[in-house]
Structure formats: structure tokens, C-alpha cells
Amino acid sequence: MIRRRAQKALLAWDPVNPRIARLRLKGRFPNISIITVYAPTRVATDADKDSFYSDLEITMQKCPKRDFLILAGDWNSRVGPTDPNIHHIVGPFTYGQRCSNGDRLLQFVRSHNLFITTTIFS
């Protein structure tokens, strides 16, 4: 699933579950940890959502602290219009009205001092 050049840099591949996978690549400095996700949809049970974020938390703990971390995938959420309380997390461009999954995502992002950089619409 990755190009030959990237295969040479492969340090770790961890398919955690059907919703989460971790890839670690050798970088010049630092190494790169990429976690891909497919978050539960809004109709999933709260138990499924809690399990997803718990598994994601454990997966992130496996990433060395010095690695450049990228979390990417389908979060199945909308964080809604920017307000002053979250502007530093999502920037000026958001879409739709915030949903419960958006609340979960924002809580997760805040707790890890992360930020949301790109939203792609198809």
C-alpha cells in the first residue's frame, strides 16, 4: 500500500483494528508517525465511540514523543463555525453545524494540544 521508496523507510506498521492503523517512517529528523482513522458515524453507539477514542489514545501512546505526528482520516464529524474558543484549534475555515462527533473530536484535539488543519469535501 506504500511506494517502494517509503517501504525502505518503514520502521513500523501496526493495523490496530478496522478503524485505526499506525505507520512509522524513518525521517531525516525527526521520524514520522502517521495514524489513519475511520471514526464511527453519528449513528454508532456511545460505547463504540468511546472504544474508538480509547484505542486511538493507546495507539498515540505507542508513538515516540519526538516523532512528527500526523493523524489523518475520516473523522465523521463536523466542528461547526469557528468561535473564539476554538479558533486556535480549527482556524477560520469550517463547515456545517457542530455535531456530537465534532464535540468529541474537539475534546480529543484539545486534550492533546493538536489542531485541525484541513477539511476536504467530496
Side-chain angles (χ1 to χ4, degrees), residues 49-113:
K49 294 174 187 182
D50 292 342
S51 177
F52 167 78
Y53 278 99
S54 176
D55 289 346
L56 181 56
E57 188 79 38
I58 292 166
T59 303
M60 284 184 62
Q61 290 172 2
K62 292 179 181 178
C63 296
K65 299 291 183 204
R66 294 179 189 242
D67 279 14
F68 183 80
L69 176 64
I70 299 170
L71 292 172
D74 187 346
W75 293 91
N76 281 311
S77 65
R78 291 186 308 270
V79 294
T82 302
D83 65 52
N85 296 324
I86 64 168
H87 183 74
H88 64 287
I89 296 171
V90 299
F93 305 107
T94 62
Y95 176 76
Q97 294 298 314
R98 186 175 310 156
C99 63
S100 61
N101 281 359
D103 289 333
R104 283 179 183 268
L105 177 57
L106 286 171
Q107 181 180 354
F108 182 81
V109 166
R110 276 188 188 126
S111 70
H112 292 284
N113 294 317

Side-chain angles (χ1 to χ4, degrees), residues 2-10 25-26 28:
I2 62 175
R3 295 180 182 194
R4 287 182 195 259
R5 186 172 175 198
Q7 286 176 353
K8 293 178 183 177
L10 183 64
L25 300 171
K26 177 75 176 147
R28 288 182 189 227

Side-chain angles (χ1 to χ4, degrees), residues 2 10-14 21-25 32-36:
I2 62 175
L10 183 64
L11 296 173
W13 166 246
D14 182 17
R22 182 175 67 97
L23 175 72
R24 187 164 187 246
L25 300 171
I32 303 162
S33 286
I34 303 169
I35 300 173
T36 60

